[in-house]
Amino acid sequence: MFAEKEYRLPAEWEPQSGVQLTWPHKNTDWAPMLDEVTKTYEEMAREIRKREPLLIVGPPSNDTWARDHGFISLTPNPIHGGEALLLDFCFNGWGEKFPASLDNALNRRIFDEGHFCGQYVNHLDFVLEGGSIESDGCGTIFTTSSCLLAPHRNQPLTKEQIEDCLKTRLHAHRVLWIDHGHLTGDDTDGHIDTLVRIAPNDTLLYMGCENAQDEQHEELRLMEEQLRTFRTPDNWPYRLLRLPMPRPIFDADGERLPATYANFLVINGAVLCPTYNQPDLDAEALRIIGQAFPNRDIVGIDCRPLIQQHGSLHCCTMQFPEGILQ
């Protein structure tokens, strides 16, 4: 077993003080479909607000992906005491693909307005998006090599140096790197929250693809093989639950969009799950997610508007552990 650290990155299913939504507005890429996507945000907001506080961030922002520009929060070990750490990492538009200067300034602005309890920690010298990491709450961080080693993020750092940064800044014991897995149309270089999610009792939910003719099949098959080699800190295999692949969804230009059921959000008492108007597959995905979270409401939210901008439900949200959001 690992020695206790002074801080840790809680698992998403632990008690929360609230969730952030960065609201769509006319100066974002949502402008052509603002009414449609606003209805989806309103539905997310209603479901969150039923169960916990909601922080809505309005303009100015470049975009609305709170998962990637929001604070990553660490909680103190009760033995050591102290206040929570609000880590402000650099968000640079997923490797300088899109403008992000306004998004990257949001955390400092919101903190200065007094919405959080905790200590602001400036990590703007290191690029890290919330969607690129998963935590089991016990010191294990999951991430993907395709994202964290992608161009225009943290070069010239090596994989070993990036891993050291993750362990130091997130107070983690170890990092498990996923080296395979790709969704066509993904802008993030393979965020883990589109591919593999950690759940209680050493459970991994992950995207699979049974159609051997699908362009995503081989990478997801190799990802599954690698997940079977992973071991818990106690050297047990993880419990693996494979999620179905939505049937292909295309934009107006005929480009495939990165629809995924792995992009769910765990909140107090519920799991909000993306659906895509594919009743059979939607129901199967919600059933499997329910196996991993048996004591929570499993709530489907139609994410067809969100996927038009290459994201889904988890990408739009950032949860804060208990005691952090005012």
Side-chain angles (χ1 to χ4, degrees), residues 158-172:
T158 65
K159 180 179 180 180
E160 291 73 22
Q161 290 170 323
I162 290 173
E163 179 168 324
D164 286 343
C165 282
L166 292 177
K167 288 194 285 190
T168 299
R169 301 186 191 214
L170 301 179
H171 293 252

Side-chain angles (χ1 to χ4, degrees), residues 49-62:
R49 194 64 188 89
K50 287 177 186 177
R51 299 167 175 90
E52 59 188 271
L54 176 66
L55 172 66
I56 294 178
V57 178
S61 67
N62 299 101

Side-chain angles (χ1 to χ4, degrees), residues 206 223-231 237-238 240:
Y206 66 99
M223 183 183 78
E224 181 179 53
E225 286 187 2
Q226 186 178 20
L227 295 180
R228 295 189 186 282
T229 71
F230 285 174
R231 293 295 179 267
Y238 284 90
L240 300 181

